[in-house]
Amino acid sequence: MADDRYEGPWLVVGLGNPGDGYARNRHNIGFMVVDLLAERIGARFKAHKSRAQVAEGRLAGHRVVLAKPMTFMNLSGGPTTALRDFYKVPNAAIVAVHDELDIDYATLRLKCGGGDNGHNGLKSLTKSLGPDYHRIRCGIGRPPGRMEVADFVLKDFSATERKDLDWFVDRSADAVEALLTDGLERAQGTYNS
């Protein structure tokens, strides 16, 4: 997909929950990454009829549609499917950026396809799209002690984590660009740590 033959836009979907109360939660790292990508391309998010905010432009030489579904995380599939159909994007050119519990904090993994691993946003996307889309998996680690997963992902990053958060979001955005430019295998070689 990362060759020059695909002329249509890539759809990069940051997963998160809408509203200021969720803005800095671990579950919203996908929103943080697409916000940074929009900043890099000088684009502003605007409301779209798909129940998402979108920003359009060129990233790493490719047309991109950056999206933040304005439904809650567990309903992300509907807006994403509407955007896919509106922009006529094949699933192979969809990138979901999301938090991942089973990866240590500030660690990235890129892949295409696979299961949802209990992630409600991915569950919704896969139900709507099928499993064959790219994922930028942003590690947030496991909850400490006996903390419930739902409580952990809906909390802001800790003071210790915030020291590296800007770097982590920046590296995650770089990984999206590398995926578009270099293809999955080469981007995995660079960013899968």
Side-chain angles (χ1 to χ4, degrees):
M1 254 337 269
D3 59 32
D4 293 328
R5 290 174 291 190
Y6 176 64
E7 296 294 321
W10 283 78
L11 175 58
V12 181
V13 181
L15 296 184
N17 287 310
D20 292 340
Y22 298 102
R24 302 302 284 174
N25 288 179
R26 291 179 179 93
H27 223 16
N28 274 42
I29 195 160
F31 276 17
M32 296 174 203
V33 172
V34 294
D35 282 341
L36 178 58
L37 290 169
E39 195 177 300
R40 287 183 181 183
I41 65 174
R44 294 181 101 95
F45 281 96
K46 298 175 182 157
H48 189 273
K49 65 182 180 181
S50 63
R51 295 177 299 145
Q53 289 186 357
V54 299
E56 298 180 54
R58 294 193 76 75
L59 179 67
H62 297 271
R63 287 176 49 215
V64 291
V65 177
L66 305 172
K68 297 189 291 186
M70 290 290 104
T71 57
F72 282 93
M73 175 76 78
N74 61 344
L75 299 173
S76 301
T80 303
T81 301
L83 288 168
R84 177 197 66 183
D85 296 347
F86 182 83
Y87 288 100
K88 298 176 176 50
V89 178
N91 282 5
I94 296 174
V95 182
V97 183
H98 64 90
D99 60 302
E100 180 66 56
L101 285 164
D102 289 332
I103 301 175
D104 290 339
Y105 176 68
T107 301
L108 289 173
R109 295 278 191 282
L110 284 67
K111 72 178 204 172
C112 186
D116 58 54
N117 205 22
H119 190 290
N120 289 330
L122 292 180
K123 198 174 291 185
S124 179
L125 285 182
T126 300
K127 184 177 178 187
S128 296
L129 302 170
D132 298 324
Y133 54 90
H134 290 88
R135 297 118 190 262
I136 307 287
R137 303 164 67 208
C138 304
I140 60 169
R142 300 292 305 176
R146 296 174 184 246
M147 182 185 287
E148 290 292 325
V149 167
D151 294 334
F152 180 69
V153 299
L154 294 176
K155 286 199 180 315
D156 288 358
F157 287 96
S158 70
T160 303
E161 290 168 332
R162 284 195 299 271
K163 291 176 186 168
D164 295 322
L165 184 58
D166 288 344
W167 170 84
F168 184 32
V169 170
D170 192 61
R171 184 166 168 78
S172 301
D174 290 348
V176 173
E177 290 196 42
L179 174 63
L180 272 56
T181 305
D182 302 331
L184 180 62
E185 198 171 306
R186 285 184 61 194
Q188 285 173 321
T190 301
Y191 291 95
N192 282 14
S193 41

